[in-house]
Amino acid sequence: VLGLLVWTLIAGTEYFLYPAFGWVMFVAVFYWVLTVFFLIIYMTMTYTRIPQVPWTMVGLCFNGSAFILYLIAAIVDASSVTKELDSHNYNSWAASSFFAFVVTSCYAGNTYFSFISWRSRTLQ
């Protein structure tokens, strides 16, 4: 839900005029789609039918890459928000920056828990 909020706040503005917001938009939409994909896989328990895939490693790599790229996108988003660019879009961009950092912290927590899960599997 928070990732959806990030990209809808940006999509409602003229973000295409500023390449930095295009990058944030790419990261937000890309990881939102992948998160929904993995949510469906876990909700339908499809992962139990594909035991060849190391799901703990997939989760760790996904969450780790989401954390890193979302952190970069959040920093880019926050550094690109200025009133001089376009005051009409300022509030949406500022809110998207805040929520991008919230999403980054969520992916950081998921990365930590994925690492713990992966570590417990490798120690067995």
Side-chain angles (χ1 to χ4, degrees), residues 6-85:
V6 170
W7 68 266
T8 54
L9 283 167
I10 293 176
T13 66
E14 292 91 20
Y15 71 92
F16 46 84
L17 299 175
Y18 308 99
F21 293 114
W23 164 252
V24 176
M25 189 72 171
F26 168 74
V27 170
V29 171
F30 180 73
Y31 279 107
W32 184 78
V33 169
L34 282 179
T35 300
V36 169
F37 174 73
F38 281 122
L39 178 66
I40 291 169
I41 285 177
Y42 281 104
M43 295 285 287
T44 60
M45 298 194 58
T46 304
Y47 67 94
T48 59
R49 294 183 215 129
I50 313 170
Q52 300 86 358
V53 177
W55 289 106
T56 54
M57 178 63 84
V58 169
L60 178 61
C61 292
F62 169 72
N63 289 316
S65 68
F67 166 66
I68 290 169
L69 289 180
Y70 241 111
L71 179 63
I72 294 168
I75 291 169
V76 166
D77 193 3
S79 65
S80 299
V81 175
T82 60
K83 278 199 179 245
E84 291 83 36
L85 288 179

Coordinates of all heavy atoms in Angstrom, one line a residue, residues 6-85:
V6 N 3.5 5.9 -3.0 CA 4.7 6.6 -3.6 C 4.5 6.9 -5.1 O 4.6 8.0 -5.5 CB 6.0 5.8 -3.3 CG1 7.2 6.4 -4.1 CG2 6.3 5.8 -1.9
W7 N 4.2 5.9 -5.8 CA 4.1 6.1 -7.3 C 2.9 6.8 -7.7 O 2.9 7.5 -8.7 CB 4.4 4.9 -8.1 CG 3.5 3.7 -8.1 CD1 3.6 2.6 -7.3 CD2 2.4 3.5 -9.0 NE1 2.6 1.8 -7.6 CE2 1.8 2.3 -8.7 CE3 1.8 4.3 -10.0 CZ2 0.7 1.8 -9.3 CZ3 0.7 3.8 -10.7 CH2 0.2 2.5 -10.3
T8 N 1.8 6.8 -7.0 CA 0.6 7.5 -7.3 C 0.8 9.0 -7.0 O 0.3 9.9 -7.8 CB -0.7 7.0 -6.7 OG1 -0.5 7.0 -5.3 CG2 -1.1 5.7 -7.2
L9 N 1.5 9.3 -5.9 CA 1.8 10.7 -5.7 C 2.6 11.4 -6.7 O 2.5 12.5 -7.1 CB 2.4 10.9 -4.3 CG 1.5 10.7 -3.1 CD1 2.3 10.6 -1.8 CD2 0.6 11.9 -3.0
I10 N 3.6 10.6 -7.3 CA 4.4 11.1 -8.3 C 3.7 11.1 -9.7 O 3.8 12.1 -10.5 CB 5.7 10.3 -8.4 CG1 6.6 10.6 -7.2 CG2 6.5 10.8 -9.7 CD1 7.8 9.7 -7.1
A11 N 2.9 10.1 -9.9 CA 2.2 10.0 -11.2 C 1.2 11.1 -11.4 O 0.8 11.4 -12.6 CB 1.5 8.6 -11.3
G12 N 0.7 11.7 -10.4 CA -0.3 12.7 -10.5 C 0.3 14.1 -10.8 O -0.4 15.1 -10.8
T13 N 1.6 14.1 -11.0 CA 2.3 15.4 -11.3 C 3.0 15.3 -12.7 O 2.8 14.3 -13.4 CB 3.4 15.7 -10.2 OG1 4.4 14.6 -10.4 CG2 2.9 15.6 -8.8
E14 N 3.7 16.4 -13.0 CA 4.4 16.4 -14.3 C 5.8 15.8 -14.1 O 6.8 16.5 -14.4 CB 4.5 17.8 -14.9 CG 3.1 18.3 -15.4 CD 2.4 19.1 -14.3 OE1 3.0 19.5 -13.3 OE2 1.2 19.2 -14.4
Y15 N 5.9 14.6 -13.6 CA 7.2 14.0 -13.2 C 8.1 13.8 -14.4 O 9.3 13.8 -14.3 CB 7.0 12.7 -12.5 CG 6.5 11.6 -13.3 CD1 7.4 10.7 -14.0 CD2 5.2 11.4 -13.6 CE1 6.9 9.7 -14.8 CE2 4.7 10.4 -14.4 CZ 5.6 9.6 -15.0 OH 5.1 8.6 -15.8
F16 N 7.5 13.6 -15.6 CA 8.2 13.3 -16.8 C 9.1 14.4 -17.3 O 10.0 14.2 -18.1 CB 7.3 12.9 -17.9 CG 6.1 13.8 -18.1 CD1 6.2 15.0 -18.8 CD2 4.9 13.5 -17.5 CE1 5.1 15.8 -19.0 CE2 3.8 14.4 -17.6 CZ 3.9 15.6 -18.3
L17 N 8.9 15.6 -16.7 CA 9.8 16.8 -17.0 C 11.1 16.7 -16.3 O 12.1 17.4 -16.6 CB 9.1 18.1 -16.7 CG 7.8 18.3 -17.5 CD1 7.1 19.6 -17.0 CD2 8.0 18.4 -19.0
Y18 N 11.2 15.9 -15.2 CA 12.4 15.8 -14.4 C 12.8 14.3 -14.3 O 12.1 13.5 -13.8 CB 12.1 16.3 -13.0 CG 11.4 17.7 -13.0 CD1 10.1 17.8 -12.9 CD2 12.2 18.8 -13.2 CE1 9.5 19.1 -12.9 CE2 11.7 20.1 -13.2 CZ 10.3 20.2 -13.1 OH 9.7 21.4 -13.2
P19 N 14.0 14.0 -14.9 CA 14.5 12.6 -15.0 C 14.6 12.0 -13.6 O 14.4 10.8 -13.5 CB 15.8 12.7 -15.6 CG 15.8 14.0 -16.3 CD 14.9 14.9 -15.6
A20 N 14.9 12.7 -12.6 CA 15.1 12.1 -11.2 C 13.7 11.5 -10.8 O 13.7 10.4 -10.2 CB 15.5 13.2 -10.2
F21 N 12.6 12.1 -11.0 CA 11.4 11.6 -10.6 C 11.0 10.4 -11.5 O 10.2 9.5 -11.1 CB 10.3 12.6 -10.7 CG 10.5 13.7 -9.6 CD1 10.7 15.0 -10.0 CD2 10.4 13.3 -8.3 CE1 10.9 15.9 -9.0 CE2 10.6 14.3 -7.3 CZ 10.8 15.6 -7.7
G22 N 11.5 10.3 -12.7 CA 11.3 9.2 -13.6 C 12.0 7.9 -13.0 O 11.4 6.8 -13.0
W23 N 13.2 8.1 -12.4 CA 13.9 7.0 -11.8 C 13.1 6.5 -10.6 O 12.9 5.3 -10.4 CB 15.3 7.4 -11.4 CG 15.9 6.5 -10.4 CD1 16.1 6.7 -9.1 CD2 16.3 5.2 -10.6 NE1 16.7 5.6 -8.5 CE2 16.8 4.7 -9.4 CE3 16.4 4.3 -11.7 CZ2 17.4 3.4 -9.3 CZ3 16.9 3.1 -11.6 CH2 17.4 2.6 -10.4
V24 N 12.6 7.4 -9.7 CA 11.8 7.1 -8.6 C 10.5 6.3 -9.0 O 10.2 5.3 -8.4 CB 11.4 8.3 -7.7 CG1 10.6 8.0 -6.6 CG2 12.7 9.0 -7.3
M25 N 9.9 6.8 -10.0 CA 8.7 6.2 -10.6 C 9.0 4.8 -11.0 O 8.2 3.8 -10.7 CB 8.2 7.0 -11.7 CG 6.9 6.7 -12.2 SD 5.6 7.1 -11.0 CE 4.2 6.8 -12.1
F26 N 10.1 4.6 -11.7 CA 10.5 3.2 -12.2 C 10.7 2.3 -11.0 O 10.1 1.2 -11.0 CB 11.8 3.3 -13.0 CG 12.4 1.9 -13.3 CD1 11.8 1.1 -14.2 CD2 13.5 1.5 -12.6 CE1 12.3 -0.2 -14.4 CE2 14.0 0.3 -12.8 CZ 13.5 -0.6 -13.7
V27 N 11.4 2.7 -10.0 CA 11.7 1.8 -8.9 C 10.4 1.5 -8.1 O 10.1 0.4 -7.8 CB 12.7 2.5 -7.9 CG1 12.8 1.7 -6.6 CG2 14.1 2.5 -8.6
A28 N 9.6 2.5 -7.9 CA 8.3 2.3 -7.1 C 7.4 1.4 -7.9 O 6.8 0.5 -7.3 CB 7.7 3.7 -6.9
V29 N 7.2 1.6 -9.2 CA 6.3 0.7 -9.9 C 6.8 -0.7 -10.1 O 6.1 -1.7 -9.9 CB 6.0 1.3 -11.3 CG1 5.2 0.4 -12.2 CG2 5.2 2.6 -11.1
F30 N 8.1 -0.8 -10.4 CA 8.8 -2.1 -10.5 C 8.6 -3.0 -9.3 O 8.2 -4.1 -9.3 CB 10.2 -1.9 -10.9 CG 11.0 -3.2 -11.1 CD1 10.8 -4.0 -12.2 CD2 11.9 -3.6 -10.2 CE1 11.5 -5.1 -12.4 CE2 12.6 -4.8 -10.4 CZ 12.4 -5.6 -11.5
Y31 N 9.0 -2.4 -8.1 CA 8.9 -3.2 -6.9 C 7.5 -3.3 -6.4 O 7.2 -4.3 -5.7 CB 9.8 -2.6 -5.8 CG 11.3 -3.0 -6.1 CD1 12.2 -2.2 -6.6 CD2 11.6 -4.4 -5.9 CE1 13.5 -2.6 -6.8 CE2 12.9 -4.8 -6.1 CZ 13.8 -4.0 -6.6 OH 15.1 -4.4 -6.9
W32 N 6.6 -2.4 -6.7 CA 5.2 -2.6 -6.4 C 4.6 -3.9 -7.1 O 4.0 -4.7 -6.5 CB 4.4 -1.4 -6.7 CG 3.0 -1.5 -6.2 CD1 2.5 -1.4 -5.0 CD2 1.8 -1.9 -7.1 NE1 1.1 -1.6 -5.0 CE2 0.7 -1.9 -6.3 CE3 1.7 -2.1 -8.4 CZ2 -0.6 -2.2 -6.7 CZ3 0.4 -2.4 -8.9 CH2 -0.7 -2.4 -8.1
V33 N 4.9 -3.9 -8.4 CA 4.5 -5.1 -9.2 C 5.1 -6.4 -8.7 O 4.4 -7.4 -8.6 CB 4.8 -4.9 -10.7 CG1 4.5 -6.1 -11.5 CG2 3.9 -3.7 -11.3
L34 N 6.4 -6.4 -8.5 CA 7.0 -7.6 -8.0 C 6.5 -8.0 -6.6 O 6.3 -9.2 -6.3 CB 8.5 -7.4 -7.9 CG 9.2 -7.6 -9.2 CD1 10.7 -7.3 -9.0 CD2 9.0 -8.9 -9.9
T35 N 6.2 -7.0 -5.7 CA 5.7 -7.3 -4.4 C 4.3 -7.9 -4.5 O 4.0 -8.9 -3.8 CB 5.6 -6.0 -3.5 OG1 7.0 -5.5 -3.4 CG2 5.1 -6.3 -2.2
V36 N 3.5 -7.4 -5.4 CA 2.1 -8.0 -5.6 C 2.3 -9.4 -6.1 O 1.5 -10.3 -5.7 CB 1.3 -7.1 -6.5 CG1 0.0 -7.8 -7.0 CG2 0.9 -5.8 -5.8
F37 N 3.2 -9.6 -7.1 CA 3.5 -10.9 -7.6 C 3.9 -11.9 -6.5 O 3.3 -13.0 -6.4 CB 4.6 -10.8 -8.7 CG 5.0 -12.2 -9.2 CD1 4.2 -12.9 -10.1 CD2 6.3 -12.7 -8.9 CE1 4.6 -14.1 -10.6 CE2 6.7 -13.9 -9.4 CZ 5.9 -14.6 -10.2
F38 N 4.8 -11.6 -5.7 CA 5.2 -12.5 -4.6 C 4.1 -12.7 -3.6 O 4.0 -13.7 -3.0 CB 6.5 -12.0 -3.9 CG 7.7 -12.3 -4.7 CD1 8.6 -11.3 -5.2 CD2 8.1 -13.6 -5.0 CE1 9.7 -11.6 -5.9 CE2 9.2 -13.9 -5.8 CZ 10.0 -12.9 -6.2
L39 N 3.3 -11.6 -3.3 CA 2.2 -11.8 -2.4 C 1.2 -12.8 -2.9 O 0.7 -13.7 -2.2 CB 1.5 -10.4 -2.2 CG 0.2 -10.4 -1.4 CD1 0.6 -10.7 0.1 CD2 -0.5 -9.1 -1.4
I40 N 0.9 -12.8 -4.2 CA 0.0 -13.8 -4.8 C 0.6 -15.2 -4.7 O -0.1 -16.1 -4.4 CB -0.3 -13.4 -6.3 CG1 -1.2 -12.1 -6.3 CG2 -1.0 -14.5 -7.0 CD1 -1.3 -11.5 -7.7
I41 N 1.9 -15.3 -5.0 CA 2.6 -16.6 -4.9 C 2.5 -17.1 -3.4 O 2.2 -18.3 -3.2 CB 4.1 -16.5 -5.3 CG1 4.1 -16.4 -6.8 CG2 4.9 -17.7 -4.8 CD1 5.5 -16.2 -7.4
Y42 N 2.7 -16.3 -2.4 CA 2.6 -16.8 -1.1 C 1.2 -17.0 -0.6 O 1.0 -17.9 0.2 CB 3.4 -15.8 -0.1 CG 4.9 -16.0 -0.2 CD1 5.7 -15.2 -0.9 CD2 5.5 -17.1 0.4 CE1 7.1 -15.4 -1.0 CE2 6.8 -17.4 0.3 CZ 7.6 -16.5 -0.4 OH 9.0 -16.7 -0.4
M43 N 0.3 -16.2 -1.0 CA -1.1 -16.3 -0.6 C -1.7 -17.6 -1.2 O -2.5 -18.2 -0.5 CB -2.0 -15.1 -1.0 CG -1.6 -13.8 -0.3 SD -2.1 -13.7 1.4 CE -3.8 -13.5 1.1
T44 N -1.4 -17.9 -2.4 CA -1.9 -19.1 -3.0 C -1.1 -20.4 -2.7 O -1.4 -21.5 -3.2 CB -2.0 -19.0 -4.6 OG1 -0.7 -18.7 -5.1 CG2 -2.9 -17.8 -4.9
M45 N 0.0 -20.2 -2.0 CA 0.9 -21.3 -1.6 C 1.5 -22.0 -2.8 O 1.8 -23.2 -2.8 CB 0.3 -22.2 -0.7 CG -0.1 -21.5 0.6 SD -0.6 -22.6 2.0 CE 0.9 -23.6 2.2
T46 N 1.7 -21.2 -3.9 CA 2.3 -21.8 -5.1 C 3.7 -22.2 -4.9 O 4.2 -23.1 -5.5 CB 2.3 -20.7 -6.3 OG1 0.9 -20.3 -6.4 CG2 2.8 -21.3 -7.5
Y47 N 4.4 -21.6 -4.0 CA 5.8 -21.9 -3.7 C 6.0 -23.3 -3.2 O 7.0 -23.9 -3.3 CB 6.4 -20.9 -2.7 CG 5.8 -21.0 -1.3 CD1 6.4 -21.8 -0.3 CD2 4.7 -20.2 -1.0 CE1 5.8 -21.8 1.0 CE2 4.1 -20.3 0.3 CZ 4.7 -21.1 1.3 OH 4.1 -21.2 2.5
T48 N 4.9 -23.9 -2.6 CA 5.0 -25.3 -2.2 C 5.0 -26.3 -3.4 O 5.5 -27.4 -3.2 CB 3.9 -25.7 -1.2 OG1 2.6 -25.5 -1.9 CG2 3.9 -24.8 0.0
R49 N 4.5 -25.8 -4.5 CA 4.5 -26.7 -5.7 C 5.7 -26.6 -6.5 O 5.9 -27.3 -7.5 CB 3.2 -26.3 -6.5 CG 1.9 -26.6 -5.8 CD 0.8 -26.3 -6.7 NE -0.3 -25.9 -5.8 CZ -1.0 -24.8 -6.0 NH1 -0.8 -24.0 -7.1 NH2 -1.9 -24.4 -5.1
I50 N 6.6 -25.7 -6.2 CA 7.9 -25.5 -6.9 C 9.0 -25.6 -5.9 O 9.6 -24.6 -5.5 CB 7.9 -24.1 -7.6 CG1 6.6 -23.9 -8.4 CG2 9.1 -24.1 -8.6 CD1 6.5 -22.5 -8.9
P51 N 9.3 -26.8 -5.4 CA 10.4 -26.9 -4.4 C 11.8 -26.7 -4.9 O 12.7 -26.6 -4.1 CB 10.1 -28.4 -3.9 CG 9.5 -29.1 -5.0 CD 8.7 -28.1 -5.8
Q52 N 12.0 -26.7 -6.2 CA 13.3 -26.6 -6.8 C 13.8 -25.1 -6.6 O 15.1 -24.9 -6.6 CB 13.3 -26.9 -8.3 CG 12.9 -28.2 -8.7 CD 11.4 -28.4 -8.8 OE1 10.6 -27.4 -8.6 NE2 11.0 -29.6 -9.2
V53 N 13.0 -24.2 -6.4 CA 13.4 -22.8 -6.2 C 13.7 -22.6 -4.7 O 12.9 -22.9 -3.8 CB 12.2 -21.8 -6.6 CG1 12.6 -20.4 -6.4 CG2 11.9 -22.1 -8.1
P54 N 14.9 -22.0 -4.4 CA 15.3 -21.7 -3.0 C 14.5 -20.4 -2.6 O 15.1 -19.3 -2.7 CB 16.8 -21.5 -3.1 CG 17.0 -21.1 -4.5 CD 16.0 -21.7 -5.4
W55 N 13.3 -20.5 -2.1 CA 12.5 -19.4 -1.8 C 13.0 -18.5 -0.8 O 12.8 -17.3 -0.8 CB 11.1 -19.8 -1.4 CG 10.4 -20.4 -2.6 CD1 10.1 -21.7 -2.9 CD2 9.9 -19.7 -3.8 NE1 9.4 -21.8 -4.1 CE2 9.3 -20.6 -4.7 CE3 9.8 -18.3 -4.1 CZ2 8.7 -20.2 -5.9 CZ3 9.2 -18.0 -5.3 CH2 8.7 -18.9 -6.2
T56 N 13.8 -19.0 0.2 CA 14.4 -18.1 1.2 C 15.4 -17.2 0.6 O 15.5 -16.0 0.9 CB 15.0 -18.9 2.4 OG1 15.9 -19.9 1.9 CG2 13.9 -19.6 3.2
M57 N 16.2 -17.8 -0.3 CA 17.2 -17.0 -1.0 C 16.6 -16.0 -2.0 O 17.0 -14.8 -2.1 CB 18.2 -17.9 -1.8 CG 19.2 -17.1 -2.6 SD 20.3 -16.2 -1.6 CE 21.5 -17.5 -1.2
V58 N 15.5 -16.4 -2.7 CA 14.8 -15.5 -3.5 C 14.2 -14.3 -2.7 O 14.3 -13.1 -3.1 CB 13.7 -16.2 -4.3 CG1 12.7 -15.3 -5.0 CG2 14.2 -17.2 -5.3
G59 N 13.7 -14.6 -1.6 CA 13.1 -13.5 -0.7 C 14.2 -12.6 -0.2 O 14.0 -11.4 -0.2
L60 N 15.3 -13.2 0.1 CA 16.5 -12.3 0.6 C 17.0 -11.4 -0.5 O 17.2 -10.2 -0.3 CB 17.6 -13.2 1.2 CG 18.8 -12.5 1.6 CD1 18.5 -11.6 2.8 CD2 19.9 -13.5 2.1
C61 N 17.2 -12.0 -1.7 CA 17.7 -11.2 -2.8 C 16.7 -10.1 -3.2 O 17.0 -9.0 -3.5 CB 18.0 -12.1 -4.0 SG 19.4 -13.1 -3.7
F62 N 15.4 -10.5 -3.2 CA 14.3 -9.5 -3.6 C 14.3 -8.4 -2.6 O 14.3 -7.2 -3.0 CB 13.0 -10.2 -3.7 CG 11.8 -9.2 -3.8 CD1 11.6 -8.5 -5.0 CD2 11.0 -9.0 -2.7 CE1 10.6 -7.6 -5.1 CE2 9.9 -8.2 -2.8 CZ 9.7 -7.4 -4.0
N63 N 14.2 -8.7 -1.3 CA 14.1 -7.7 -0.3 C 15.4 -6.8 -0.2 O 15.3 -5.6 0.0 CB 13.8 -8.3 1.1 CG 12.3 -8.8 1.1 OD1 11.4 -8.1 0.6 ND2 12.2 -10.0 1.7
G64 N 16.5 -7.5 -0.4 CA 17.8 -6.7 -0.3 C 17.9 -5.7 -1.5 O 18.3 -4.6 -1.3
S65 N 17.6 -6.2 -2.7 CA 17.6 -5.3 -3.8 C 16.6 -4.2 -3.7 O 16.9 -3.0 -4.1 CB 17.5 -6.1 -5.1 OG 16.2 -6.6 -5.3
A66 N 15.4 -4.5 -3.2 CA 14.4 -3.5 -3.1 C 14.8 -2.5 -2.0 O 14.6 -1.3 -2.3 CB 13.1 -4.2 -2.6
F67 N 15.4 -2.9 -1.0 CA 15.9 -1.9 0.0 C 17.0 -1.0 -0.6 O 16.9 0.2 -0.4 CB 16.5 -2.7 1.2 CG 17.3 -1.8 2.1 CD1 16.7 -0.8 2.9 CD2 18.7 -2.0 2.3 CE1 17.5 0.0 3.7 CE2 19.5 -1.2 3.1 CZ 18.9 -0.2 3.8
I68 N 17.9 -1.6 -1.3 CA 19.0 -0.7 -1.8 C 18.5 0.3 -2.9 O 18.8 1.5 -2.8 CB 20.1 -1.6 -2.4 CG1 20.9 -2.3 -1.3 CG2 21.1 -0.8 -3.2 CD1 21.8 -3.4 -1.7
L69 N 17.7 -0.3 -3.8 CA 17.2 0.6 -4.9 C 16.2 1.6 -4.4 O 16.1 2.8 -4.8 CB 16.6 -0.2 -6.0 CG 17.7 -0.9 -6.9 CD1 17.0 -1.7 -8.0 CD2 18.7 0.0 -7.4
Y70 N 15.3 1.2 -3.4 CA 14.4 2.2 -2.8 C 15.1 3.2 -2.0 O 14.7 4.4 -2.0 CB 13.4 1.5 -1.9 CG 12.0 1.6 -2.4 CD1 11.2 0.6 -3.0 CD2 11.3 2.9 -2.4 CE1 10.0 0.7 -3.4 CE2 10.0 3.0 -2.8 CZ 9.3 1.9 -3.4 OH 8.1 2.1 -3.8
L71 N 16.2 2.9 -1.3 CA 17.0 3.9 -0.6 C 17.6 4.9 -1.5 O 17.5 6.1 -1.3 CB 18.1 3.2 0.2 CG 19.0 4.1 1.0 CD1 18.2 4.8 2.1 CD2 20.1 3.3 1.7
I72 N 18.1 4.4 -2.6 CA 18.7 5.4 -3.7 C 17.5 6.2 -4.2 O 17.7 7.5 -4.3 CB 19.4 4.6 -4.8 CG1 20.6 3.9 -4.2 CG2 19.7 5.5 -5.9 CD1 21.2 2.9 -5.2
A73 N 16.4 5.6 -4.5 CA 15.3 6.4 -5.1 C 14.7 7.4 -4.1 O 14.4 8.5 -4.4 CB 14.2 5.4 -5.5
A74 N 14.7 7.0 -2.8 CA 14.2 7.9 -1.8 C 15.1 9.1 -1.6 O 14.7 10.3 -1.5 CB 14.0 7.2 -0.4
I75 N 16.4 8.9 -1.7 CA 17.4 10.0 -1.6 C 17.3 10.9 -2.8 O 17.3 12.1 -2.7 CB 18.8 9.4 -1.4 CG1 18.9 8.7 0.0 CG2 19.9 10.5 -1.5 CD1 20.2 7.9 0.2
V76 N 17.2 10.3 -4.0 CA 17.0 11.1 -5.2 C 15.7 11.9 -5.1 O 15.7 13.1 -5.5 CB 17.1 10.1 -6.4 CG1 16.6 10.9 -7.7 CG2 18.5 9.6 -6.7
D77 N 14.7 11.3 -4.7 CA 13.4 11.9 -4.5 C 13.5 13.1 -3.6 O 13.1 14.2 -3.9 CB 12.3 10.9 -4.1 CG 10.9 11.4 -4.2 OD1 10.7 12.5 -4.7 OD2 10.0 10.7 -3.8
A78 N 14.1 12.9 -2.4 CA 14.2 14.0 -1.4 C 15.1 15.1 -1.9 O 14.8 16.3 -1.6 CB 14.7 13.4 -0.1
S79 N 16.1 14.8 -2.6 CA 17.1 15.8 -3.0 C 16.5 16.6 -4.2 O 17.0 17.7 -4.5 CB 18.4 15.2 -3.4 OG 18.3 14.3 -4.4
S80 N 15.5 16.0 -4.9 CA 15.0 16.7 -6.1 C 13.8 17.6 -5.8 O 13.3 18.3 -6.6 CB 14.5 15.6 -7.1 OG 15.6 14.9 -7.6
V81 N 13.3 17.5 -4.6 CA 12.1 18.3 -4.2 C 12.5 19.7 -3.8 O 13.2 19.8 -2.8 CB 11.3 17.6 -3.0 CG1 10.2 18.5 -2.6 CG2 10.8 16.2 -3.4
T82 N 12.2 20.6 -4.6 CA 12.4 22.0 -4.3 C 11.2 22.8 -4.8 O 10.6 22.5 -5.8 CB 13.7 22.6 -5.0 OG1 13.5 22.4 -6.4 CG2 14.9 21.8 -4.5
K83 N 11.0 23.9 -4.1 CA 9.8 24.8 -4.5 C 10.1 25.5 -5.8 O 9.2 25.9 -6.5 CB 9.5 25.8 -3.4 CG 8.7 25.3 -2.3 CD 8.1 26.4 -1.5 CE 7.2 25.8 -0.4 NZ 5.9 26.1 -0.6
E84 N 11.4 25.6 -6.2 CA 11.7 26.4 -7.4 C 11.3 25.6 -8.7 O 11.0 26.2 -9.7 CB 13.2 26.7 -7.5 CG 13.7 27.7 -6.5 CD 13.9 27.1 -5.1 OE1 14.4 25.9 -5.0 OE2 13.6 27.7 -4.1
L85 N 11.3 24.3 -8.6 CA 11.0 23.5 -9.8 C 9.5 23.7 -10.2 O 9.3 24.2 -11.3 CB 11.2 22.0 -9.5 CG 12.6 21.5 -9.4 CD1 12.6 20.0 -9.1 CD2 13.4 21.8 -10.6

